[in-house]
PDB file of all heavy atoms in Angstrom:
ATOM      1  N   VAL L  55      77.848-226.413 100.178  1.00 97.00           N
ATOM      2  CA  VAL L  55      78.290-227.443 101.111  1.00 97.00           C
ATOM      3  C   VAL L  55      79.783-227.778 100.908  1.00 97.00           C
ATOM      4  O   VAL L  55      80.560-227.765 101.862  1.00 97.00           O
ATOM      5  CB  VAL L  55      77.398-228.698 101.079  1.00 97.00           C
ATOM      6  CG1 VAL L  55      77.980-229.812 101.929  1.00 97.00           C
ATOM      7  CG2 VAL L  55      75.987-228.341 101.543  1.00 97.00           C
ATOM      8  N   PRO L  56      80.221-228.050  99.673  1.00 97.00           N
ATOM      9  CA  PRO L  56      81.659-228.331  99.502  1.00 97.00           C
ATOM     10  C   PRO L  56      82.535-227.150  99.917  1.00 97.00           C
ATOM     11  O   PRO L  56      83.598-227.345 100.522  1.00 97.00           O
ATOM     12  CB  PRO L  56      81.806-228.623  97.996  1.00 97.00           C
ATOM     13  CG  PRO L  56      80.457-228.988  97.540  1.00 97.00           C
ATOM     14  CD  PRO L  56      79.501-228.240  98.402  1.00 97.00           C
ATOM     15  N   GLY L  57      82.119-225.919  99.622  1.00 97.00           N
ATOM     16  CA  GLY L  57      82.891-224.755 100.034  1.00 97.00           C
ATOM     17  C   GLY L  57      82.929-224.614 101.544  1.00 97.00           C
ATOM     18  O   GLY L  57      83.977-224.328 102.136  1.00 97.00           O
ATOM     19  N   GLY L  58      81.792-224.832 102.183  1.00 98.00           N
ATOM     20  CA  GLY L  58      81.741-224.780 103.638  1.00 98.00           C
ATOM     21  C   GLY L  58      82.561-225.871 104.294  1.00 98.00           C
ATOM     22  O   GLY L  58      83.227-225.650 105.296  1.00 98.00           O
ATOM     23  N   VAL L  59      82.543-227.063 103.691  1.00 98.00           N
ATOM     24  CA  VAL L  59      83.354-228.171 104.202  1.00 98.00           C
ATOM     25  C   VAL L  59      84.843-227.829 104.107  1.00 98.00           C
ATOM     26  O   VAL L  59      85.612-228.067 105.049  1.00 98.00           O
ATOM     27  CB  VAL L  59      83.025-229.497 103.471  1.00 98.00           C
ATOM     28  CG1 VAL L  59      84.061-230.571 103.752  1.00 98.00           C
ATOM     29  CG2 VAL L  59      81.620-229.981 103.846  1.00 98.00           C
ATOM     30  N   ALA L  60      85.250-227.233 102.988  1.00 98.00           N
ATOM     31  CA  ALA L  60      86.654-226.835 102.829  1.00 98.00           C
ATOM     32  C   ALA L  60      87.042-225.823 103.901  1.00 98.00           C
ATOM     33  O   ALA L  60      88.104-225.966 104.537  1.00 98.00           O
ATOM     34  CB  ALA L  60      86.876-226.248 101.442  1.00 98.00           C
ATOM     35  N   GLY L  61      86.206-224.833 104.140  1.00 98.00           N
ATOM     36  CA  GLY L  61      86.489-223.841 105.164  1.00 98.00           C
ATOM     37  C   GLY L  61      86.503-224.449 106.561  1.00 98.00           C
ATOM     38  O   GLY L  61      87.376-224.145 107.386  1.00 98.00           O
ATOM     39  N   ALA L  62      85.531-225.316 106.827  1.00 98.00           N
ATOM     40  CA  ALA L  62      85.455-225.957 108.148  1.00 98.00           C
ATOM     41  C   ALA L  62      86.660-226.839 108.400  1.00 98.00           C
ATOM     42  O   ALA L  62      87.231-226.823 109.499  1.00 98.00           O
ATOM     43  CB  ALA L  62      84.172-226.773 108.245  1.00 98.00           C
ATOM     44  N   ILE L  63      87.093-227.593 107.405  1.00 98.00           N
ATOM     45  CA  ILE L  63      88.269-228.455 107.568  1.00 98.00           C
ATOM     46  C   ILE L  63      89.528-227.615 107.752  1.00 98.00           C
ATOM     47  O   ILE L  63      90.280-227.803 108.706  1.00 98.00           O
ATOM     48  CB  ILE L  63      88.416-229.416 106.356  1.00 98.00           C
ATOM     49  CG1 ILE L  63      87.310-230.474 106.362  1.00 98.00           C
ATOM     50  CG2 ILE L  63      89.795-230.099 106.382  1.00 98.00           C
ATOM     51  CD1 ILE L  63      87.265-231.311 105.095  1.00 98.00           C
ATOM     52  N   GLY L  64      89.743-226.681 106.846  1.00 98.00           N
ATOM     53  CA  GLY L  64      90.968-225.889 106.883  1.00 98.00           C
ATOM     54  C   GLY L  64      91.116-225.063 108.148  1.00 98.00           C
ATOM     55  O   GLY L  64      92.150-225.131 108.831  1.00 98.00           O
ATOM     56  N   MET L  65      90.087-224.301 108.484  1.00 97.00           N
ATOM     57  CA  MET L  65      90.197-223.446 109.662  1.00 97.00           C
ATOM     58  C   MET L  65      89.955-224.243 110.956  1.00 97.00           C
ATOM     59  O   MET L  65      90.490-223.872 112.015  1.00 97.00           O
ATOM     60  CB  MET L  65      89.268-222.258 109.530  1.00 97.00           C
ATOM     61  CG  MET L  65      89.809-221.277 108.483  1.00 97.00           C
ATOM     62  SD  MET L  65      88.794-219.815 108.254  1.00 97.00           S
ATOM     63  CE  MET L  65      87.738-220.364 106.929  1.00 97.00           C
ATOM     64  N   GLY L  66      89.198-225.334 110.861  1.00 97.00           N
ATOM     65  CA  GLY L  66      89.050-226.222 112.031  1.00 97.00           C
ATOM     66  C   GLY L  66      90.384-226.842 112.420  1.00 97.00           C
ATOM     67  O   GLY L  66      90.742-226.881 113.602  1.00 97.00           O
ATOM     68  N   ILE L  67      91.133-227.316 111.427  1.00 98.00           N
ATOM     69  CA  ILE L  67      92.473-227.852 111.696  1.00 98.00           C
ATOM     70  C   ILE L  67      93.385-226.736 112.242  1.00 98.00           C
ATOM     71  O   ILE L  67      94.172-226.971 113.167  1.00 98.00           O
ATOM     72  CB  ILE L  67      93.067-228.511 110.430  1.00 98.00           C
ATOM     73  CG1 ILE L  67      92.303-229.810 110.117  1.00 98.00           C
ATOM     74  CG2 ILE L  67      94.555-228.789 110.617  1.00 98.00           C
ATOM     75  CD1 ILE L  67      92.669-230.448 108.784  1.00 98.00           C
ATOM     76  N   GLY L  68      93.250-225.553 111.670  1.00 96.00           N
ATOM     77  CA  GLY L  68      94.024-224.428 112.184  1.00 96.00           C
ATOM     78  C   GLY L  68      93.781-224.190 113.667  1.00 96.00           C
ATOM     79  O   GLY L  68      94.711-223.960 114.439  1.00 96.00           O
ATOM     80  N   ASP L  69      92.519-224.258 114.078  1.00 95.00           N
ATOM     81  CA  ASP L  69      92.205-224.103 115.496  1.00 95.00           C
ATOM     82  C   ASP L  69      92.745-225.271 116.329  1.00 95.00           C
ATOM     83  O   ASP L  69      93.276-225.054 117.405  1.00 95.00           O
ATOM     84  CB  ASP L  69      90.676-224.060 115.682  1.00 95.00           C
ATOM     85  CG  ASP L  69      90.101-222.649 115.529  1.00 95.00           C
ATOM     86  OD1 ASP L  69      90.873-221.719 115.307  1.00 95.00           O
ATOM     87  OD2 ASP L  69      88.866-222.525 115.649  1.00 95.00           O
ATOM     88  N   LEU L  70      92.559-226.473 115.842  1.00 97.00           N
ATOM     89  CA  LEU L  70      92.997-227.658 116.605  1.00 97.00           C
ATOM     90  C   LEU L  70      94.507-227.694 116.832  1.00 97.00           C
ATOM     91  O   LEU L  70      94.979-228.243 117.826  1.00 97.00           O
ATOM     92  CB  LEU L  70      92.529-228.933 115.919  1.00 97.00           C
ATOM     93  CG  LEU L  70      91.022-229.186 115.950  1.00 97.00           C
ATOM     94  CD1 LEU L  70      90.655-230.340 115.028  1.00 97.00           C
ATOM     95  CD2 LEU L  70      90.532-229.422 117.369  1.00 97.00           C
ATOM     96  N   LEU L  71      95.265-227.103 115.923  1.00 97.00           N
ATOM     97  CA  LEU L  71      96.716-227.111 116.039  1.00 97.00           C
ATOM     98  C   LEU L  71      97.283-225.901 116.769  1.00 97.00           C
ATOM     99  O   LEU L  71      98.490-225.807 116.960  1.00 97.00           O
ATOM    100  CB  LEU L  71      97.355-227.224 114.658  1.00 97.00           C
ATOM    101  CG  LEU L  71      97.058-228.530 113.893  1.00 97.00           C
ATOM    102  CD1 LEU L  71      97.684-228.496 112.506  1.00 97.00           C
ATOM    103  CD2 LEU L  71      97.529-229.718 114.673  1.00 97.00           C
ATOM    104  N   ASP L  72      96.416-224.986 117.189  1.00 93.00           N
ATOM    105  CA  ASP L  72      96.841-223.786 117.877  1.00 93.00           C
ATOM    106  C   ASP L  72      96.323-223.803 119.313  1.00 93.00           C
ATOM    107  O   ASP L  72      95.116-223.779 119.536  1.00 93.00           O
ATOM    108  CB  ASP L  72      96.289-222.547 117.151  1.00 93.00           C
ATOM    109  CG  ASP L  72      96.795-221.246 117.696  1.00 93.00           C
ATOM    110  OD1 ASP L  72      97.111-221.163 118.910  1.00 93.00           O
ATOM    111  OD2 ASP L  72      96.867-220.275 116.921  1.00 93.00           O
TER     112      ASP L  72
END
Side-chain angles (χ1 to χ4, degrees):
V55 173
V59 166
I63 290 171
M65 288 181 268
I67 290 171
D69 274 359
L70 290 170
L71 296 177
D72 186 331

